[in-house]
Amino acid sequence: MLIAKNDEKERSFLFRIVIWTASVLIIVVAAYFLIRSFVKNPIEGTWEYQDDNITMTIQSDDKVELQFDHLQEVSGLEVTLDCQVDKSEKTLVIQAPEQSRIDQILKQCDGKLSESALDTALSQFTTSFDYSMERQTLTLTDREYGEQMIFDKK
């Protein structure tokens, strides 16, 4: 209705409001994508180990959840471990669980899982890794021995 009146002053006012709103919206969207790309953990997500039936979920709160599909007589075992991700050095450090947590896991398995089998399964993950990503593939390289584990994005 204001535009139809042919009032130049009111049209100019509306045009400035529209341009100002669009500019603010563009700045907000650009800031969101910049912050997201530089702050977000690049390896966060769910990854499947290529060599075994193990799923690794890296969470934003510095936690790694490992799900072993079949470990001795136990299927679907989930173990949550603490981790640290350094984006500038491209390193992932996964800490070993405390003995009380291991005892709790073994108790939940009702004797179907031995402590040595659990230690062996976790030992390949509880170390420091250099990581690299290429498309939907995450490669973890053991910093001490150079062994590689390759995961696919789930």
Side-chain angles (χ1 to χ4, degrees), residues 31-42:
Y32 169 76
F33 283 114
L34 282 173
I35 290 171
R36 183 174 170 222
S37 66
F38 289 111
V39 175
K40 185 179 180 233
N41 182 352

Side-chain angles (χ1 to χ4, degrees), residues 72-74 105-115:
Q72 279 189 336
E73 297 176 28
V74 179
I105 293 168
L106 292 172
K107 188 176 181 180
Q108 289 175 350
C109 294
D110 296 327
K112 295 179 183 176
L113 179 63
S114 67
E115 185 172 355

Side-chain angles (χ1 to χ4, degrees), residues 12-23:
S12 176
F13 177 73
L14 286 175
F15 183 73
R16 280 186 287 174
I17 290 175
V18 168
I19 293 298
W20 185 83
T21 305
S23 299

Side-chain angles (χ1 to χ4, degrees), residues 7-102:
D7 186 1
E8 187 66 31
K9 187 176 181 181
E10 289 182 22
R11 277 192 296 188
S12 176
F13 177 73
L14 286 175
F15 183 73
R16 280 186 287 174
I17 290 175
V18 168
I19 293 298
W20 185 83
T21 305
S23 299
V24 169
L25 186 62
I26 289 170
I27 291 170
V28 168
V29 168
Y32 169 76
F33 283 114
L34 282 173
I35 290 171
R36 183 174 170 222
S37 66
F38 289 111
V39 175
K40 185 179 180 233
N41 182 352
I43 59 175
E44 183 179 323
T46 302
W47 303 90
E48 286 187 2
Y49 188 35
Q50 286 184 349
D51 294 341
D52 207 351
N53 292 327
I54 301 172
T55 303
M56 178 175 66
T57 303
I58 300 173
Q59 302 167 352
S60 61
D61 58 351
D62 290 337
K63 300 279 185 197
V64 172
E65 182 180 286
L66 298 172
Q67 182 175 1
F68 299 92
D69 287 344
H70 298 290
L71 190 59
Q72 279 189 336
E73 297 176 28
V74 179
S75 61
L77 177 66
E78 291 184 8
V79 180
T80 302
L81 305 170
D82 293 325
C83 73
Q84 296 173 339
V85 177
D86 185 351
K87 293 177 286 223
S88 62
E89 295 289 325
K90 288 194 166 188
T91 60
L92 170 68
V93 179
I94 303 175
Q95 283 106 20
E98 297 176 6
Q99 186 61 40
S100 61
R101 178 70 179 129
I102 291 174

